[in-house]
Amino acid sequence: ETGVTQTPRHLVMGMTNKKSLKCEQHLGHNAMYWYKQSAKKPLELMFVYSLEERVENNSVPSRFSPECPNSSHLFLHLHTLQPEDSALYLCASSKQGALYGANVLTFGAGSRLTVL
Amino acid sequence: AQTVTQSQPEMSVQEAETVTLSCTYDTSESDYYLFWYKQPPSRQMILVIRQEAYKQQNATENRFSVNFQKAAKSFSLKISDSQLGDAAMYFCAYRRYTGTASKLTFGTGTRLQVTL
């Protein structure tokens, strides 16, 4: 058990579909992240939530919409995606605070998204 | 902005041998963290080792050790006594010392193959 669970593991969708990716952690962490992993490119940070507030949005197109209803759950809502959005989407979490040193990220196994 | 460069897209090592993966980074800050993450075929990113920039001593975790050269902005990973289970993508990552969340900047990764 990784501690960070992502569903679904694989998703195929058409450009007009609406779908959501889900991330769940029960590690007592208070920050959650969405990263996009494309082949031969560095992981791209998309969104960061700290204490359930969005603290980062790295110029991500509006067809990606994050939601963090509580500190244990994070969603990425997908709408009208493009084929170039096909990638592995990784969720991560961390415990933020001065007492926690490097605040190491714990990752999930990712959701492989294919947009047709 | 910080950047992380991994100049070796692929590396190969024989079982029981030693291999070194290279990483350089660019930053104007004096305090920061550096990490090596491993991503096996299961896709989950796993922390291998971390280094605080203010520590002169190189970090070590069992068969994994780093050569941290702060002035040269170099952070290489040495894997000793390589095992088949070490085969994976390895990512070098940088994180600022302060901030509201653990936002990592990643390199493009090095694929390590372990042969018999």
Side-chain angles (χ1 to χ4, degrees), chain B residues 31-97:
Chain B
D31 289 325
Y32 46 87
Y33 296 99
L34 295 165
F35 305 85
W36 278 98
Y37 276 88
K38 168 186 177 181
Q39 187 178 39
S42 65
R43 304 184 327 205
Q44 188 208 349
M45 300 275 274
I46 303 166
L47 179 68
V48 175
I49 200 166
R50 70 183 184 212
Q51 175 81 42
E52 289 89 343
Y54 64 85
K55 290 186 178 179
Q56 293 186 343
Q57 187 172 8
N58 288 325
T60 300
E61 288 287 341
N62 301 314
R63 298 183 295 107
F64 299 88
S65 61
V66 298
N67 183 4
F68 173 48
Q69 301 290 327
K70 191 172 183 179
K73 296 181 182 175
S74 171
F75 183 61
S76 60
L77 174 69
K78 185 172 82 171
I79 306 174
S80 304
D81 186 26
S82 297
Q83 301 175 0
L84 294 177
D86 294 333
M89 282 289 290
Y90 285 82
F91 293 93
C92 179
Y94 168 102
R95 198 213 123 190
R96 294 179 63 191
Y97 193 70

Side-chain angles (χ1 to χ4, degrees), chain A:
Chain A
E1 176 58 48
T2 69
V4 178
T5 303
Q6 290 188 243
T7 55
R9 289 270 294 176
H10 300 272
L11 177 63
V12 179
M13 59 186 290
M15 289 191 285
T16 58
N17 292 157
K18 288 184 181 180
K19 297 286 185 182
S20 296
L21 307 181
K22 179 182 177 182
C23 177
E24 185 173 355
Q25 61 89 11
H26 295 288
L27 301 169
H29 290 173
N30 54 13
M32 298 188 78
Y33 311 75
W34 280 116
Y35 277 89
K36 177 183 178 183
Q37 185 177 18
S38 305
K40 299 183 180 179
K41 293 177 67 176
L43 273 74
E44 302 171 50
L45 179 63
M46 301 176 72
F47 301 104
V48 180
Y49 279 82
S50 181
L51 300 175
E52 300 165 36
E53 286 191 31
R54 192 191 311 179
V55 297
E56 183 104 359
N57 177 348
N58 276 349
S59 302
V60 179
S62 59
R63 57 185 183 269
F64 295 91
S65 175
E67 178 189 2
C68 187
N70 54 62
S71 61
S72 298
H73 294 86
L74 182 67
F75 294 90
L76 188 62
H77 303 300
L78 314 171
H79 175 51
T80 320
L81 295 192
Q82 304 298 311
E84 59 264 29
D85 296 323
S86 298
L88 181 67
Y89 289 84
L90 292 168
C91 174
S93 68
S94 68
K95 184 75 168 179
Q96 295 307 115
L99 297 177
Y100 303 108
N103 302 334
V104 174
L105 294 188
T106 300
F107 284 85
S111 293
R112 173 74 65 189
L113 172 66
T114 301
V115 181
L116 302 176

